Structure formats: C-alpha cells, structure tokens
C-alpha cells in the first residue's frame, strides 16, 4: 500500500499534455477565442498608443529647449516662466549683468517678439521673431535642410522651418501655383523687408505658432522698439563651475531663475500636466483600456470556462487534480493574453509607423518602457480574469458530470 | 472512521455507507446504510428506481463524493485515508468512467479524447495518442479515430468513451447508465464492447442501469431502493457468454 501511494503521488501531467488539453479546449470555441484576443489586443493598443501619444506630447513640449540649447548649460529667464513659449520679458540690461557674473564663460541673448508679416502674395501672418546672438549664432536651429545658419548674417536674412514653410508660409506665386516659402523668397516683416536664406528643421513642438529666426541686430529692424524683448539668456559655465552654485548666483543678482535644459524641460512637462489636465485625461483613457480589456476578455474567458464546466467536471472526475486545473486555466488565459498582447503591440507599431510615415508631425513616442508597462497591464488583467475563472472551476462539483 | 479489512478477491467492499445532502431541515439522506461487495473481474449491475441513490453510490465508490458514515475499500484503498489530490490521482490511474452523456470534448478527435485520460497520468503525448488508437481499435473504431464526436453516431461516441475508460488499464470501471441515451440495438452493441473490454483486462465493472434489456451482460445484479441495496441476484452472463 505504501508503494502504491508513492506511485500515485509521483504521477504528473506533462506540460505538453496540459498544453494540448488547454489548447484543444480553447480552440474549440473560435468565436470566444477571437473575441478574447480582440479584447486584450484592444486594451493593449489603447494603453500603449495613448501612452505613446502622451509621451510624444510631453516630449514635444520641451522641443524648443532641446533644439536651441546647443552647448549652453543654463537657461536664464524670468521667475514666472514655465515653458519655452512663455512670454515674460527681462530687462535688456540683464544680458550684460549675467556676462559679468563670476563663473559665466559666455552668455547669449534670445530675443523674441511677434511681428506682422506679409507673404509674397500679400497674405498676412503674425509669426514670432526670434533674434539670436550675431557673433556666435547660439540659440539658433540646429538642423539646416537648405542653406546655412551663417547665411543669417546676409542682408535681411531670415530662416524658417520647413514644415511651417509648407503650411503657415505657403503662398500663391506669380504663375498662380500654390507653393511653400523657400530660399530666395522675399517677404515683408515688421517695418522692413526680409529674405529667406535658409530652411531649418525644428522638432515637432506642441505649440504650432510660426517662427522666424534672425540675428539680434536685425531683430531691431523688424520689431518696433517698444516690443523688443529679451526672453532668455543662454549661459555657458566656466570649466569646473558647479551649475547649481552658478544658477543660484545668477538668481540672486537679478531676481531671475536659471535652469539647466533638463530642469527647464521637466518644468515644461510639469506645466503641461498641471495646466491642461492632459495627464488626467490620458490616464483615464489608459485606465479605461485596462478596464475594457478586463471586462471584455475577462468576461468572455469566464463564459468560456463556464461553457466548458461539463468537460472540466469530467476531467476532475476522471482524475485531474486541482494543480493541473490551475495550470490549464492559466495556460489558456496565458495564450489569450500573449496573442492579444502581440496583436495589440503590432497594431500600435503599425499606427506609429503610419504616423511617422505621414510626416504630419503628430507627436508619437513609442519608448521602450511602453511595451513593458503594457505587458504588466495585460498581466494584471490576465491574472484577475484567470483567478476569477479558476475559482469557478475549482469549486465545480465533479459529480455534476453524472447528471444528464 | 475505521478502515475496512482488505479482502482478497474483492474489488469493492462497502459497509453501512451513509450519505446526506444539504443541511437541516432540508437534509436528504441519499444513502441509508449501503452494504456492497464487488468481486474482482465481475460485471455488477446496479438497478433501482430513479432517485434511489445509484449515482450517489457510484460517486462515493469512486471517491468523487465523500461518504458521511460507514466504511468503503476500493481496490484495497480507503479513500478516507487519501488527500483530495491523491484521490484524483488514484482515479486517474485505477478507475475508468463511462457517463450517460458520453462527455467527449467536441473540439477533440476520438483519439485525442481517449488520449486525454493518459495525459492526466503523465504519459507523453505521442505515446498517449498511440495507445489511444489501440484502445479505439479494441472497441472496433480503428477507422473512426480521427473523427470528431459530431461526426460519430451516439453508439460510436459511447464506444469512444469506453475506449477512454479502459485505455489506462484501470482495475475498476464505473459506468452510469451507459446505454440509456442509445436505442436498444446500439445499446446492445455498446454493452458487448464494454463487457469484452472489462474481461480482457480482468477489470471489475459496476454499471448503473435502468435498462433491463441489458441484464444479460451482468454477472450479478444488485437491486437498490431508497438508499439501500435490497437484494443481489446472479446474472446470466457467464452461462450465456461461455459456449
Ligand atoms: N448534489 C446533490 N444535492 C442534493 N441532493 C442530491 C444531490 N445529488 C443527488 N441528490 C439527491 O439524492 C437522491 C439520490 O440521487 P441519485 O442521483 O443518486 O439517484 P439515482 O438513483 O442515480 O437516480 P436516477 O436513476 O434518476 O439517476 C435523489 O433524491 C437526489 O435528488
Ligand atoms: Mg443517476
């Protein structure tokens, strides 16, 4: 009897055998199988795609900081400024004060103001004019598609962004064809005339207002005196300077604020989250994705298990242990989750490729953390759905298989 | 609860088995002191009016339901001394089941349905499928092995179920009304398969039935009424089957 007991204890269902039973059961109801996968895939798509869009938006909010920092260590600005497009002008003397502070290697002004513009065909526009340091051209666009940053020093020279050239600055030329503003075209800007000398590529930014780059000295000819604004000062620290100390020194002297590019980007994203409720609405959608996934796939899985309770009861009667049932149920929900997850991630990637391919500039950042985070979400959904359904199977009375 | 003495030659030995369902005041006594012996290798039929406790007794014998009183040894094993998991494994290795409604998985072919019983015991898939094919051949369904249940007649489905019940060479077969979903002629055929399969393996078969037309396949017939075995008669099978 002892040997018999040992023999009984040692019999185990092989993994392949379990997988076989689990799969046969699952594939027996293709409609449910497909709808469970669709539920998980939908949840996956919603979670990952919405996160990618949110990250894209948050990223593009800090685009200007990234584009114009160059090798500057600090951005000096009015204390109240929360994001790059925030207009809180400083006294123009600030630039000289900052240059005189200990530990500052160089400081470059970033001027900005809006100015009236007329396209070659007379269409009015009101772009932001950005004036950068004449000598060094620091704070200018970093990617040039046509012409060079140095061309800005040419008479009346301005540089514009390619995407904006195709949209805001598109006009009907003398032959009646609508085209984008390009190098060599002449426009009226402020009180003067301006010549497009270069086309740059700006990162996809949250704000879509048009921008025109020029030098600080020419800035004065485009913008009326009373509107001249020192928006930022870009600062390079002397070698060996602690950025924190230097920033504190600058802030003390002029009652301003100095931020590293990273700090400025973080503040910008924080502002975006606080002021727009964007984080909450995306969180709601992502949460909804989880809940819908749980309801659709969880409920369908529960129905699937219930529909098969007769076979589960039969298997229990004929010798399936609770341990095997746990493995079978979780194998089934595991298959559904895995397939649904990959379908959903595939759709997310296709969606992303379509957006990037369209060149619309729609922000979309499919970062490495997204598949992992989404997988965790799917895992949670699977664990909940699996556990609830498992509970039902474990409680099944095997004797029910004898009742007709 | 004391264990019954193991008696050589007895596959099943039950004494004073009671089973209650539900709680007071709606408590129902389904088994009221069942005494039953099944000799190794015999075909024992269990008959009686509806609701007299036949299915309940089968479930208690097989360790699917717990008895509330009495003693019961099945194949030398008292299920009371086994854990729930051990009982499941005992059923997987030593008992074969045939249900009234066949209970075949519709998405599995005949051979896959039969092989499932072996998978529960840890037999590798390839070997399980191969042995399942042999078991199907032994009930005359070699050419139907790859059909799904929906492509088989009722009698064929029940023979697949018999193949599943015997594929692991159990020492005890437990069948609840195996022919009542079938017409007379088909039921006869199924009983022939069942009796032959049990004989070839020297397995004991306990068959619950309403159908007195299959009594001819019984070695002994136990009559049950109101939760008790009231009488046991010798069947006619041995004489008739041995020319
Ligand atoms: N799970 C249960 N809960 C409550 N009562 C039950 C349960 N199972 C069976 N019974 C009752 O126990 C009694 C015996 O039932 P059982 O199914 O054993 O009868 P049976 O002889 O197999 O009947 P039939 O020939 O109709 O199948 C019946 O009165 C039945 O209603
Ligand atoms: Mg019954």
């Amino acid at each position: 009897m002892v040997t018999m007991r040992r023999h009984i204890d040692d019999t185990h269902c092989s993994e392949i055998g379990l997988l076989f039973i689990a799969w046969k059961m699952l594939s027996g109801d293709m409609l449910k199988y497909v709808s469970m996968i669709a539920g998980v895939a939908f949840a996956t798509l919603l979670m990952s795609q919405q996160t990618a869009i949110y990250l894209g938006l948050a990223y593009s909010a800090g685009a200007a900081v990234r584009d114009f920092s160059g090798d500057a260590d600090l951005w000096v600005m009015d204390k109240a400024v929360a994001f790059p497009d925030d207009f809180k002008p400083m006294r123009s003397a600030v630039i000289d004060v900052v240059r005189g502070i200990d530990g500052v290697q160089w400081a470059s002004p970033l001027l900005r103001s809006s100015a009236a513009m007329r396209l070659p065909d007379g269409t009015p526009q009101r772009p932001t004019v950005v004036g950068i340091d004449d000598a060094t051209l620091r704070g200018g666009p970093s990617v040039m598609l046509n012409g060079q940053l140095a061309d800005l020093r040419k008479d009346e020279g301005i540089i514009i962004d390619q995407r904006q050239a195709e949209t805001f600055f598109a006009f009907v030329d003398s032959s009646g064809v609508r085209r984008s503003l390009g190098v060599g075209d002449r426009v009226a800007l402020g009180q003067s005339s301006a010549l497009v000398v270069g086309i740059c590529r700006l990162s996809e930014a949250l704000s879509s207002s048009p921008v025109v780059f020029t030098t600080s000295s020419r800035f004065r000819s485009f913008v009326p005196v009373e509107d001249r604004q020192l928006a930022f000062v870009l600062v390079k620290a002397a070698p060996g300077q602690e950025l924190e100390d230097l920033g504190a020194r600058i802030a003390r002297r002029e009652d301003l604020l100095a931020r590293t590019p990273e700090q400025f980007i973080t503040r910008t994203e924080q502002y975006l989250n606080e002021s727009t409720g964007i984080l909450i609405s995306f969180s709601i959608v992502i949460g909804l994705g989880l809940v819908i996934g749980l309801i659709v796939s969880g409920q369908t899985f529960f129905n699937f298990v219930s529909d098969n309770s007769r076979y589960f009861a039969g298997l229990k009667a004929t010798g399936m242990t609770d341990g095997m049932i746990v493995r079978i149920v979780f194998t089934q929900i595991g298959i559904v989750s895995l397939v649904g997850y990959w379908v959903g991630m595939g759709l997310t990637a296709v969606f992303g490729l379509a957006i990037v391919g369209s060149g619309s500039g729609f922000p979309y950042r499919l970062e490495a953390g997204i598949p992992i985070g989404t997988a965790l979400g799917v895992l949670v959904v699977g664990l909940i759905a699996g556990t609830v359904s498992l509970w039902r199977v474990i409680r099944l009375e095997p004797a029910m298989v004898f009742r007709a | 609860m004391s264990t019954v003495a193991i008696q050589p030659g007895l596959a099943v030995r039950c004494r004073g088995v009671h089973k209650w369902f539900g709680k007071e005041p709606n408590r129902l006594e389904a088994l009221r002191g069942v005494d039953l012996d099944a000799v190794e290798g015999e075909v024992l039929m269990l008959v009686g009016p509806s609701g007299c406790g036949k299915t309940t007794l089968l479930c208690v014998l097989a360790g699917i339901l717990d008895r509330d009183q009495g003693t019961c040894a099945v194949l030398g094993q008292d299920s009371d001394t086994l854990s729930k998991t051990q009982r499941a494994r005992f059923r997987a290795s030593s008992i074969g089941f045939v249900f009234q409604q066949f209970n075949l998985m519709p998405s599995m072919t005949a051979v896959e349905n039969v092989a499932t019983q072996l998978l529960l015991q840890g037999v590798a898939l390839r070997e399980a499928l191969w042995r399942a094919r042999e078991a199907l051949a032994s009930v005359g369904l070699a050419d139907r092995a790859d059909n799904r249940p929906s492509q088989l007649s009722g009698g064929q489905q029940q023979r697949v179920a018999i193949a599943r019940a015997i594929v692991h060479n159990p020492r005890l077969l437990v069948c609840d009304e195996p022919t009542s979903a079938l017409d007379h002629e088909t039921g006869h055929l199924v009983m022939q398969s069942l009796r032959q399969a049990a004989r070839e393996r020297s397995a004991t078969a306990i068959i619950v039935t309403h159908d007195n037309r299959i009594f001819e396949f019984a070695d002994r017939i136990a009559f049950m009424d109101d939760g008790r075995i009231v009488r046991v008669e010798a069947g006619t099978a041995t004489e008739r089957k041995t020319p």
Side-chain angles (χ1 to χ4, degrees):
Chain A
M1 197 157 139
V2 173
T3 51
M4 180 177 192
R5 188 93 53 87
R6 184 165 304 139
H7 167 72
I8 292 167
D9 285 346
D10 286 349
T11 52
H12 290 291
C13 191
S14 72
E15 288 306 325
I16 303 267
L18 275 180
L19 188 65
F20 180 79
I21 297 173
W23 168 249
K24 281 290 168 181
M25 228 182 211
L26 197 57
S27 60
D29 191 341
M30 267 300 161
L31 193 67
K32 280 208 180 59
Y33 178 60
V34 169
S35 46
M36 284 187 272
I37 286 176
V40 176
F42 177 73
T44 303
L45 176 66
L46 215 55
M47 285 190 279
S48 57
Q49 182 220 53
Q50 292 298 305
T51 311
I53 293 174
Y54 170 73
L55 289 180
L57 286 176
Y59 185 83
S60 57
V65 181
R66 257 175 236 106
D67 279 358
F68 308 135
S69 285
D71 56 350
D73 295 318
L74 291 171
W75 286 63
V76 179
M77 64 198 82
D78 186 276
K79 272 203 282 200
V81 169
F83 55 98
D85 282 338
D86 211 359
F87 256 127
K88 303 265 164 49
M90 301 182 283
R91 291 187 304 119
S92 45
V94 162
I95 180 72
D96 297 319
V97 175
V98 172
R99 279 178 176 144
I101 291 176
D102 226 21
V104 172
Q105 187 175 330
W106 52 252
S108 299
L110 263 185
L111 308 172
R112 56 196 309 172
S113 176
S114 64
M117 183 194 226
R118 264 186 201 286
L119 295 174
D121 64 352
T123 310
Q125 266 293 356
R126 196 164 181 83
T128 298
V129 181
V130 175
I132 61 177
D133 191 47
D134 286 64
T136 61
L137 298 178
R138 288 191 185 109
S142 48
V143 181
M144 294 298 298
L145 299 180
N146 195 356
Q148 287 172 336
L149 196 53
D151 294 339
L152 219 45
R153 296 195 184 106
K154 286 180 185 165
D155 237 10
E156 303 183 332
I158 58 168
I159 290 177
I160 56 173
D161 169 62
Q162 187 203 27
R163 229 177 343 254
Q164 295 183 350
E166 291 165 357
T167 52
F168 296 109
F169 301 135
F171 68 103
V172 180
D173 68 9
S174 49
S175 54
V177 179
R178 187 176 169 82
R179 65 173 178 87
S180 54
L181 199 61
V183 170
D185 287 326
R186 197 166 274 284
V187 296
L189 186 60
Q191 301 114 321
S192 158
S193 140
L195 176 69
V196 178
V197 295
I199 302 290
C200 68
R201 161 67 93 186
L202 296 181
S203 299
E204 292 146 12
L206 244 199
S207 80
S208 50
S209 67
V211 181
V212 167
F213 292 93
T214 185
T215 60
S216 315
S217 54
R218 196 157 306 112
F219 182 82
R220 292 172 228 288
S221 62
F222 292 137
V223 177
V225 183
E226 64 277 13
D227 286 349
R228 287 174 197 159
Q229 315 278 22
L230 177 60
F232 298 103
V233 175
L234 294 180
V235 169
K236 175 77 180 171
Q241 268 296 319
E242 278 291 330
L243 291 184
E244 200 137 327
D245 297 346
L246 180 58
R249 268 205 300 283
I250 294 171
R252 236 187 343 264
R253 272 291 288 282
E254 270 299 320
D255 205 24
L256 301 169
L257 193 58
R259 292 184 169 115
T260 64
E262 293 72 37
Q263 287 169 338
F264 196 16
I265 290 170
T266 307
R267 176 70 187 108
T268 302
E269 292 176 359
Q270 190 187 346
Y271 174 80
L272 180 74
N273 293 339
E274 284 168 0
S275 67
T276 60
I278 198 173
L279 185 60
I280 294 170
S281 54
F282 272 95
S283 302
I284 289 173
V285 173
I286 291 164
L288 268 180
L290 261 178
V291 170
I292 291 172
L294 184 60
I295 290 174
V296 172
S297 52
Q299 166 118 356
T300 314
F301 189 66
F302 187 81
N303 288 343
F304 157 76
V305 163
S306 304
D307 287 353
N308 279 282
S309 54
R310 180 163 196 86
Y311 306 109
F312 274 117
L315 288 168
K316 285 175 102 165
T318 55
M320 179 170 278
T321 62
D322 283 352
M324 295 180 200
I325 284 175
V326 172
R327 280 148 74 198
I328 287 208
V329 169
F330 277 103
T331 301
Q332 288 168 333
I333 192 79
I335 292 172
V336 166
S337 303
L338 209 62
V339 175
Y341 172 77
W342 282 112
V343 170
M345 280 322 278
L347 290 175
T348 306
V350 167
F351 183 84
L353 287 177
I355 281 177
V356 172
S358 75
S360 63
F362 189 78
Y364 197 76
R365 280 180 74 81
L366 199 50
E367 287 180 10
I370 293 180
I372 298 168
T374 307
L376 285 178
V378 170
L379 190 70
V380 168
V381 168
L383 280 178
I384 294 175
T387 306
V388 171
S389 303
L390 179 68
W391 186 66
R392 174 167 167 80
V393 186
I394 293 287
R395 285 191 332 152
L396 266 184
E397 191 56 70
M400 76 169 266
V401 72
F402 287 99
R403 290 194 280 274
Chain B
M1 204 170 287
S2 67
T3 314
V4 216
I6 312 294
Q7 290 228 342
L10 281 189
V12 173
R13 182 178 167 81
C14 291
R15 289 294 176 269
V17 172
H18 286 258
K19 175 72 190 173
W20 286 276
F21 285 114
K23 290 195 166 70
E24 292 290 5
N26 299 318
R27 202 166 76 153
L28 188 139
E29 190 171 15
L31 299 180
R32 305 166 178 258
V34 170
D35 298 333
L36 181 70
D37 290 337
V39 182
E40 273 182 9
E42 78 170 332
V43 174
L44 174 66
M45 283 195 190
L46 203 52
V47 300
S50 182
C52 72
K54 305 180 294 291
T55 299
T56 305
L57 179 57
L58 271 195
C59 288
V60 167
L61 288 180
I64 288 172
L65 286 178
D66 291 328
R67 62 182 183 270
D68 294 313
Q69 221 177 356
T71 56
C72 211
V74 175
L75 305 175
Q77 191 79 49
D78 179 356
S79 65
D80 261 15
T81 65
L82 300 178
S83 71
K84 192 182 173 199
T85 301
Q86 286 171 328
R87 261 181 284 165
R89 289 184 175 152
F90 178 66
R91 291 199 296 276
S93 61
S94 306
I95 305 181
F97 290 86
V98 179
F99 310 107
Q100 181 178 353
Q101 295 299 329
F102 324 142
N103 211 49
L104 300 174
M105 201 108 61
S107 55
M108 286 186 181
T109 61
V111 67
E112 290 166 350
N113 265 292
V114 176
T116 299
Q117 184 63 45
L118 291 172
L119 296 178
L120 293 182
Q121 277 182 273
V123 176
L125 181 59
R126 186 195 277 262
E127 187 193 338
L129 288 170
W130 176 74
R131 279 170 62 184
R133 227 167 256 282
E134 289 201 322
L136 279 172
S138 78
V139 294
L141 284 177
D143 55 334
R144 294 305 208 145
D146 298 310
N147 286 101
R148 286 174 191 245
S150 59
Q151 299 165 312
L152 300 175
S153 71
Q156 286 169 332
Q157 289 184 57
Q158 195 59 303
R159 273 147 69 204
V160 173
I162 291 169
R164 178 179 62 188
I166 53 145
V167 67
H168 54 309
N169 293 319
R171 290 163 61 204
L172 178 64
L173 279 172
V174 162
C175 316
D176 198 6
E177 316 214 14
T179 61
S180 62
L182 308 171
D183 64 60
H184 175 59
E185 210 171 315
T186 314
H188 215 82
L189 222 68
V190 163
M191 279 312 298
Q192 268 171 357
S193 295
L194 191 52
R195 188 181 163 87
Q196 187 195 342
R199 269 286 131 83
E200 283 169 1
R201 290 165 180 77
S202 321
T204 309
I206 301 181
I207 301 169
V208 165
T209 186
H210 270 130
D211 184 358
N212 56 20
R213 291 171 301 191
I214 63 167
F215 284 0
E216 57 178 293
F217 295 96
D219 294 313
R220 289 193 306 148
I221 303 168
F223 293 88
M224 217 179 155
D225 197 8
D226 199 18
R228 283 191 202 86
I229 305 285
V230 290
R231 168 172 111 246
V232 181
E233 287 178 3
T236 48
T238 323
E239 292 79 2
R240 294 205 23 199
K241 295 289 157 192
T242 322

